[in-house]
Amino acid sequence: MKYYIITYGCQMNCSDSERIATVLESNGYKKASNIDETDLIVVNMCSVRQSAVDRVYGKIKDFTKLKVKNQKLKVILTGCILKKDRRKFVKYFDFVLNIRDLPKWPKILNSKCKILNTNDYLKIQPKYFSFPVAYVPISTGCNNFCTYCVVPYTRGSLIHRPAKDIIKEVKELVKKGYKEIWLLGQNVNSYKSQISKINFPKLLRIINDIPGEFWIRFTSSHPKDLSDELIKTMAECKKVTPYLNLPVQSGDDKILKKMNRDYTVQKYRNLIKKIRKKIPDVALSTDVIVGFPGETKEQFKNTAKLLREIKFDMVYIAQYSSRPGTAATKMDDNVPQKEKKRREKVLTEILKKTALGKNKKYIGKIVKILPLKWKKEFLFGKSFHCKSVKTKGSKKVLGKFIKVKIINALPWGLLGEQVV
Ligand code: SF4
């Protein structure tokens, strides 16, 4: 029996797929090299935006065709699924399963389970897909209920993994040669291990002290929970990379209130000042939603102004799309699509300039990168500051740290020459 996993969405979904693979393989399934030769397809979906849900709808026809060829084929839908979508999808899939029920999947699939003596899916040992990068969830779910977001409904309430499990997992990964460890959670800043009471900065310090050459990255951070202790920890821990994604979502206080973000623009500004004071070379990225219900042109201009002022290294811009079941669905989605597009374009133009300005500062400097891809004589990887870097080099150094002298900068990345 063979399985094939299709993963949409964020790193957390990728990490979940790695646990799904473990459960399937421990029940006799082997990974199929392509979708045509599989007996089981798992679609690990994302409901964060309607476009992601539409991608799953788009796949249904393909599954029907595959089922004509292979009548034993079963298709499972899992991941972040909204109740409304679940009701619609149920007729097209053999099983629609909750990821938190992963330990029970073998029973549901009617196979004999050998290894799962846990009810906690995060205790399942993942089958890592992306050596030398590893995703390590430290929590799942969220209690914040930002009014536009599906996560509290699809992933459920916040659960923290015990610190000892996380530390053990990272130690094993480092032993196996993993070089980039991503600590994942919907809001890592609010992490607190229930038993040991270890908070996120303390967890970072413990992981930083694990011997070995590796980088520690994390996502996502909520501005309301980003403490001085965390900033100090980032500044002092040499393996914690000086890169921070701090989603602002809007540069207007009234919109932030409607989003239920629990901070003001001024509080966000102050945070950025503190971070830059302690970590002068930090690379900062943010997330912004344009066209939130009721966002006026003036309110949008406040976001544009904030982006010009802060000069982010990167901004992930999303046009607002109403997600069923969230509080924002009850608000009037009154910004026309064309206007949302225009606002996205305006912010992209600002970003191009600020990102280029930030990247130019690396010209002439020697940076460490972790090359992960090789194509036509070129290596592609990320630097310590999470910048995309392209350089000529041999395939042999894939997955190993190398030094590169930056010779040119573009808005979305750097060009370098390998230093031997
Ligand atoms: S903190 Fe993040 S995951 Fe949680 S509700 Fe807000 S946007 Fe969603």
Side-chain angles (χ1 to χ4, degrees):
M1 297 285 272
K2 289 187 176 172
Y3 73 93
Y4 191 89
I5 304 176
I6 302 170
T7 308
Y8 296 118
C10 63
Q11 289 148 314
M12 190 63 102
N13 271 18
C14 296
S15 171
D16 287 346
S17 289
E18 293 176 344
R19 284 178 164 77
I20 294 168
T22 301
V23 170
L24 297 177
E25 291 191 19
S26 62
N27 282 277
Y29 284 87
K30 287 200 172 77
K31 194 175 173 184
S33 46
N34 70 65
I35 200 163
D36 296 317
E37 57 171 49
T38 189
D39 305 286
L40 181 69
I41 298 170
V42 180
V43 182
N44 190 0
M45 74 171 280
C46 163
S47 290
V48 167
R49 284 188 242 303
Q50 186 56 42
S51 55
V53 178
D54 293 342
R55 276 164 88 186
V56 177
Y57 276 112
K59 283 268 167 208
I60 290 169
K61 262 190 196 161
D62 299 346
F63 301 148
T64 314
K65 277 186 203 158
L66 286 168
K67 280 190 166 199
V68 173
K69 278 198 238 159
N70 176 3
Q71 291 180 1
K72 280 192 215 145
L73 175 69
K74 299 268 184 261
V75 189
I76 296 176
L77 182 69
T78 189
C80 290
I81 317 169
L82 277 168
K83 247 189 204 163
K84 196 180 161 204
D85 291 325
R86 182 181 285 264
R87 282 198 291 270
K88 283 188 192 162
F89 277 130
V90 87
K91 60 177 178 281
Y92 299 111
F93 290 85
D94 297 286
F95 304 98
V96 179
L97 303 178
N98 191 323
I99 190 68
R100 284 197 183 179
D101 291 334
L102 184 57
K104 295 183 206 148
W105 282 26
K107 230 180 187 177
I108 299 166
L109 296 171
N110 208 15
S111 60
K112 282 175 195 153
C113 170
K114 291 170 214 151
I115 58 145
L116 301 181
N117 49 6
T118 177
N119 286 326
D120 178 359
Y121 93 97
L122 289 173
K123 287 213 184 280
I124 297 167
Q125 172 72 30
K127 235 187 125 31
Y128 304 101
F129 291 160
S130 40
F131 182 85
V133 180
Y135 300 126
V136 179
I138 64 167
S139 60
T140 183
C142 187
N143 297 341
N144 285 327
F145 290 93
C146 301
T147 56
Y148 52 84
C149 180
V150 296
V151 169
Y153 308 96
T154 56
R155 285 200 167 264
S157 55
L158 178 65
I159 294 175
H160 303 287
R161 262 180 99 190
K164 68 169 180 20
D165 291 5
I166 300 165
I167 297 159
K168 187 173 168 253
E169 185 176 345
V170 176
K171 277 184 182 165
E172 280 162 11
L173 286 164
V174 173
K175 245 190 223 165
K176 286 179 191 154
Y178 281 81
K179 299 275 183 275
E180 189 176 307
I181 310 290
W182 278 89
L183 303 176
L184 306 180
Q186 261 73 40
N187 175 13
V188 289
N189 302 345
S190 66
Y191 174 80
K192 195 158 205 173
S193 182
Q194 302 302 323
I195 307 157
S196 58
K197 304 290 175 219
I198 289 175
N199 66 7
F200 187 55
K202 289 206 178 71
L203 182 70
L204 282 180
R205 283 189 188 274
I206 296 169
I207 295 175
N208 186 69
D209 286 343
I210 297 172
E213 194 189 13
F214 65 98
W215 290 344
I216 307 162
R217 303 200 200 267
F218 57 85
T219 191
S220 265
S221 282
H222 196 306
K224 78 177 172 64
D225 296 315
L226 194 124
S227 63
D228 291 353
E229 189 192 357
L230 177 58
I231 300 171
K232 193 167 179 278
T233 305
M234 283 185 73
E236 289 172 3
C237 291
K238 296 289 166 254
K239 289 172 193 163
V240 177
T241 61
Y243 165 73
L244 183 68
N245 173 260
L246 195 60
V248 67
Q249 305 299 6
S250 169
D252 184 87
D253 283 341
K254 281 193 181 143
I255 294 294
L256 286 176
K257 202 155 197 257
K258 281 174 89 173
M259 288 176 165
N260 191 30
R261 290 293 286 175
D262 208 12
Y263 53 84
T264 60
V265 178
Q266 194 50 46
K267 192 183 166 201
Y268 188 89
R269 271 196 194 102
N270 293 344
L271 265 179
I272 299 291
K273 266 188 209 150
K274 271 195 223 170
I275 296 163
R276 284 188 166 149
K277 199 171 169 203
K278 283 267 179 206
I279 317 163
D281 65 335
V282 70
L284 289 170
S285 72
T286 195
D287 301 355
V288 169
I289 297 171
V290 292
F292 188 79
E295 186 189 61
T296 63
K297 286 193 175 166
E298 283 313 305
Q299 288 170 328
F300 166 70
K301 278 183 187 165
N302 286 337
T303 304
K305 194 176 146 213
L306 187 75
L307 261 56
R308 278 191 206 100
E309 177 193 323
I310 292 186
K311 299 185 174 59
F312 288 100
D313 291 77
M314 182 50 75
V315 182
Y316 301 99
I317 308 159
Q319 295 175 29
Y320 172 79
S321 71
S322 167
R323 308 307 301 120
T326 59
T329 318
K330 293 180 196 120
M331 302 176 196
D332 187 11
D333 184 7
N334 59 351
V335 181
Q337 203 54 42
K338 213 173 144 193
E339 177 61 11
K340 287 179 185 167
K341 230 182 182 177
R342 185 193 72 82
R343 292 182 191 184
E344 182 181 359
K345 226 175 140 196
V346 171
L347 297 191
T348 306
E349 288 309 313
I350 297 170
L351 170 65
K352 268 189 200 164
K353 284 185 196 141
T354 62
L356 182 61
K358 293 277 165 193
N359 286 351
K360 275 185 173 170
K361 293 196 173 145
Y362 290 90
I363 295 177
K365 288 192 178 156
I366 292 176
V367 301
K368 207 170 169 185
I369 73 158
L370 182 61
L372 298 174
K373 211 175 99 186
W374 184 89
K375 206 175 164 193
K376 292 182 184 162
E377 296 181 27
F378 282 97
L379 292 160
F380 299 83
K382 293 265 180 178
S383 72
F384 193 45
H385 292 78
C386 215
K387 298 277 175 189
S388 297
V389 182
K390 178 179 166 183
T391 182
K392 247 189 189 169
S394 151
K395 235 187 208 179
K396 283 183 194 157
V397 297
L398 276 177
K400 291 175 190 158
F401 288 120
I402 58 165
K403 282 187 179 164
V404 168
K405 184 173 180 184
I406 303 303
I407 53 165
N408 203 358
L410 301 162
W412 317 129
L414 304 166
L415 288 173
E417 275 169 358
Q418 200 178 334
V419 178
V420 191

